[in-house]
Amino acid sequence: MTGPHQDHPLVTAGAPFDVAEAALVLVHGRGATAQSIVQMADEFHQDGVAYLAPQAARNTWYPNAFTAPVESNEPGRMSGLQAIDDAVSTANEAGIPTDRVMVLGFSQGACLASEFVARNPMRYGGLAVLSGALIGDIVDQDDYDGDLEGMSVFLGCSDVDPHIPENRVHESAAIFEQLNGDVTKRLYEGMGHGINQDEIDQVSTMVAGLVE
């Protein structure tokens, strides 16, 4: 498909494609940039891992809250999902198998990353959802079907995040468990909207597992 995010180049860093053993697709939050989330990846750097970060048009994947009706966030939502799919395909075309391609997002990007994996379930290298959850005014387990084949899924969020309702994190974790994901869910008391050291440690372990 073509959409508002398809005209933006993919930012890459880390291991060059010709030597990379694995890849990490990074999806930035609202108002941020692909370059900024690639820089964040230095926190969990591993040799042999290529970083790929799509860039949202005007730094925003979709206009409204992720809990708004899905239709109100089109075409941005669908174009964002395509941008993630394009990044995964770029890694595949470089010879990196899907089960060594991990997807990570923060905030609005975490919502989009979780939606991409839940709507396109297969064994990726893992999924890290940092301050995000599945998209829509409601999420219904009957709308999700497929098999993640025991893939690691990490959801980390504050219990009082001003943008992410705690209950939606629980609902999202349940859907990933239904999809046969190996789910770890962490709700951090009073943290606010951000990333803490425990989340960095969790993601670092997941990224290291891509090249073990």
Side-chain angles (χ1 to χ4, degrees):
M1 67 166 289
T2 58
H5 310 308
Q6 268 58 68
D7 292 334
H8 294 265
L10 191 66
V11 173
T12 59
F17 286 142
D18 59 347
V19 298
E21 302 172 51
L24 178 60
V25 175
L26 301 136
V27 192
H28 69 77
R30 186 191 297 268
T33 65
Q35 191 62 52
S36 68
I37 200 165
V38 162
Q39 290 171 351
M40 186 192 80
D42 289 342
E43 297 277 0
F44 31 82
H45 173 77
Q46 288 286 330
D47 290 340
V49 178
Y51 303 147
L52 303 90
Q55 173 64 49
R58 299 180 181 177
N59 302 341
T60 300
W61 294 109
Y62 45 84
N64 298 309
F66 83 105
T67 52
V70 169
E71 296 79 10
S72 73
N73 278 318
E74 301 298 8
R77 183 192 71 100
M78 282 298 296
S79 178
L81 294 174
Q82 183 64 52
I84 298 174
D85 187 68
D86 290 344
V88 172
S89 295
T90 297
N92 293 157
E93 289 162 6
I96 302 169
T98 302
D99 64 1
R100 287 184 177 267
V101 180
M102 181 175 162
V103 182
L104 174 150
F106 171 67
S107 190
Q108 192 184 58
C111 299
L112 199 65
S114 63
E115 190 75 7
F116 171 77
V117 171
R119 297 290 182 184
N120 303 277
M122 63 184 72
R123 188 176 178 87
Y124 300 91
L127 169 66
V129 182
L130 306 178
S131 299
L134 292 169
I135 295 173
D137 50 341
I138 59 170
V139 293
D140 186 341
Q141 290 188 344
D142 291 341
D143 292 339
Y144 297 88
D145 183 48
D147 191 355
L148 295 173
E149 301 177 32
M151 180 194 91
S152 294
V153 177
F154 175 72
L155 297 98
C157 193
S158 169
D159 64 342
V160 291
D161 191 296
H163 305 291
I164 314 297
E166 178 181 344
N167 188 56
R168 180 57 63 87
V169 179
H170 293 305
E171 291 173 335
S172 300
I175 286 171
F176 284 115
E177 288 170 350
Q178 172 187 302
L179 294 171
N180 195 28
D182 180 9
V183 178
T184 300
K185 177 181 61 181
R186 298 277 175 87
L187 287 165
Y188 303 98
E189 185 175 353
M191 181 175 77
H193 192 67
I195 298 172
N196 65 21
Q197 188 61 48
D198 184 66
E199 291 174 303
I200 291 171
D201 292 344
Q202 291 283 333
V203 171
S204 295
T205 298
M206 295 172 74
V207 174
L210 294 172
V211 291
E212 287 180 351

